[in-house]
Amino acid sequence: EFDEQTTDAKMCLDDILNMARKPRFALKSPQLAEACFELFYRLYAHPTTSLEFSSYLQRRMTATTVYVDTPTTSVPILFQLLDSLRHGSHSACTLLQRAWLLKSIALDVYSTSRRGDRWSSNVRDALCRLGFWRSEDEGQGLRSDYVAYEQKRMRMLELLDTLAAQISPPRALPPTVAGIAIQRFRRQITPQMYTYDTRALAAVAPQNNIKAKKKSGDLLNDAENWNRSIFLLRACEQAIDGWRQLCEVSLHEGGRPRHGQADATNYDTTLYSLLSGVLQKLCSGDFMWQWVGRSLSAVALTVMAKIRIRARSGLKGEAMSLAGRNHVLEEILQAVLRSQYHTTRANLYAIFVNYMQFIQESIARDR
């Protein structure tokens, strides 16, 4: 139960939250921090505790903020915790910490929006913090050109940058070990991912002479490196999937600008910058970005669909410049050429078709 009387009293959840908000807690105790953030997500995700837990965090938000640079008590707790991981490492634990927090914020935005106007200020605050809307105190003279986002990088893209772990393709193991097929030592964790049982490999690897021992040692090192890379890739997948969930929820909720034409122009710029930022990752050819290309290309396709819907319904600002249109087209084509996986390529083909239709419709409207 999370009623007012219970949460005002000292309880276990208070201790967990206070511990999670301590400076450098996630760095000093990464596995414990991951478990705490997963607990927060589970409480948000469960239908019987979601509303109560959201209200609980809202009441606890007035506590002293420990992670932001400027003294304030208005930063939502989940954003405080996410900000505390900004300068963390790219270990599997740290990536999973970010994954749980991103998924929790996505659930919070979605569920809060479903509760009606009484909660709308919380949704607006989250969308402003993520860069989908302008905050109330921002100036009105925003440039409407496509390149305006270069002046201030969108927070969603900054969050995506924090998930960029340096991962190289793991070295493949030989097809057999001591006459046994290497597949016998694999442990499947997903349909596309598997690790190796290093104990079983060590038990059968030849040890009868110095050369054999060295070869066996290299084999075990390769297996351990493979396992580490797979665990890190798996953590990257979950972190990027959390980012995707937050992005798609925000796109759904942020499609109704509040400030007339000026805000519509800014929102169009936001959509273009988000599309370009995601395409740049897919164009890089980096192994990690290619591996998570399914999630990234799904976000890009959602953004492209939003751009077309807004253009058709008249909810759009000034038209993108010719240079901006060509730049986006080049990024789409480069991403298609560099894509290595069927699902990613299928999404990129859909983006290309939608983009060409969008350009044709824009030209027809301008005549």
Side-chain angles (χ1 to χ4, degrees):
E1 297 290 337
F2 289 91
D3 57 83
E4 292 276 358
Q5 294 181 348
T6 303
T7 53
D8 286 340
K10 192 72 173 176
M11 55 187 271
C12 179
L13 193 57
D14 290 318
D15 292 331
I16 295 175
L17 186 58
N18 291 335
M19 178 175 61
R21 299 175 79 193
K22 288 182 178 179
R24 300 182 63 82
F25 164 70
L27 296 177
K28 294 178 180 178
S29 305
Q31 292 180 326
L32 181 59
E34 180 196 335
C36 291
F37 300 157
E38 181 180 0
L39 173 64
F40 297 161
Y41 171 76
R42 301 296 179 191
L43 290 172
Y44 261 117
H46 201 284
T48 61
T49 58
S50 178
L51 176 59
E52 290 80 2
F53 184 63
S54 179
S55 301
Y56 167 80
L57 287 186
Q58 188 72 21
R59 290 194 294 273
R60 289 295 180 262
M61 194 173 73
T62 56
T64 304
T65 301
V66 295
Y67 286 133
V68 292
D69 297 330
T70 55
T72 178
T73 58
S74 61
V75 180
I77 289 175
L78 293 176
F79 281 96
Q80 293 178 31
L81 296 173
L82 192 60
D83 287 342
S84 73
L85 305 177
R86 183 175 298 177
H87 304 297
S89 65
H90 289 98
S91 66
C93 265
T94 305
L95 288 168
L96 289 172
Q97 291 168 12
R98 293 188 177 106
W100 293 122
L101 289 175
L102 290 168
K103 291 179 181 181
S104 297
I105 296 174
L107 270 177
D108 185 47
V109 172
Y110 176 79
S111 58
T112 299
S113 177
R114 304 280 83 75
R115 293 174 196 142
D117 294 339
R118 185 168 66 92
W119 299 82
S120 60
S121 62
N122 294 356
V123 177
R124 287 197 301 269
D125 178 76
L127 294 174
C128 288
R129 293 185 185 281
L130 296 171
F132 287 93
W133 283 351
R134 284 186 297 114
S135 58
E136 299 291 350
D137 55 355
E138 284 189 79
Q140 297 295 319
L142 292 172
R143 291 173 53 196
S144 61
D145 188 69
Y146 163 73
V147 298
Y149 76 94
E150 296 289 353
Q151 297 179 350
K152 183 178 180 182
R153 191 162 172 79
M154 185 183 180
R155 178 69 192 283
M156 280 302 300
L157 293 176
E158 290 180 350
L159 289 173
L160 184 59
D161 292 340
T162 65
L163 308 179
Q166 297 297 319
I167 308 175
S168 300
R171 181 178 173 181
L173 272 63
T176 61
V177 177
I180 304 173
I182 195 66
Q183 289 84 351
R184 297 285 299 274
F185 302 97
R186 291 177 180 175
R187 300 293 180 268
Q188 211 75 30
I189 55 176
T190 71
Q192 294 81 25
M193 305 175 82
Y194 56 86
T195 58
Y196 287 104
D197 186 339
T198 54
R199 289 187 179 183
L201 281 171
V204 302
Q207 302 284 338
N208 51 353
N209 55 55
I210 295 177
K211 186 177 180 180
K213 285 183 180 180
K214 184 181 183 305
K215 189 174 180 180
S216 297
D218 292 341
L219 173 68
L220 293 175
N221 285 336
D222 288 344
E224 290 171 355
N225 289 335
W226 177 283
N227 291 349
R228 279 193 291 269
S229 295
I230 291 300
F231 287 134
L232 192 54
L233 277 174
R234 181 63 175 155
C236 281
E237 276 188 341
Q238 298 212 24
I240 295 295
D241 190 59
W243 182 87
R244 177 192 62 78
Q245 291 180 29
L246 178 56
C247 198
E248 291 186 344
V249 167
S250 299
L251 285 168
H252 181 267
E253 300 300 332
R256 298 178 292 275
R258 304 158 294 157
H259 302 307
Q261 182 66 19
D263 200 66
T265 299
N266 181 64
Y267 190 68
D268 283 344
T269 302
T270 297
L271 292 178
Y272 291 130
S273 66
L274 182 58
L275 177 62
S276 180
V278 172
L279 289 172
Q280 285 173 16
K281 301 297 185 187
L282 294 170
C283 289
S284 68
D286 183 86
F287 173 72
M288 198 274 298
W289 294 122
Q290 290 296 321
W291 185 267
V292 298
R294 180 173 61 178
S295 291
L296 292 182
S297 59
V299 170
L301 183 56
T302 301
V303 175
M304 189 65 249
K306 285 289 181 183
I307 291 173
R308 286 197 70 190
I309 290 171
R310 288 174 58 77
R312 286 179 171 181
S313 61
L315 292 172
K316 65 184 185 68
E318 296 179 24
M320 187 169 38
S321 66
L322 179 61
R325 290 178 178 179
N326 291 339
H327 184 67
V328 173
L329 180 58
E330 289 175 3
E331 289 177 331
I332 295 172
L333 294 176
Q334 287 182 30
V336 170
L337 292 173
R338 297 202 174 199
S339 61
Q340 301 175 11
Y341 300 100
H342 297 301
T343 305
T344 303
R345 194 175 298 116
N347 285 338
L348 289 170
Y349 285 150
I351 293 168
F352 174 74
V353 171
N354 273 271
Y355 188 72
M356 296 307 296
Q357 291 175 346
F358 163 71
I359 295 299
Q360 289 177 347
E361 292 166 358
S362 298
I363 294 173
R365 278 193 298 269
D366 293 341
R367 286 176 179 172

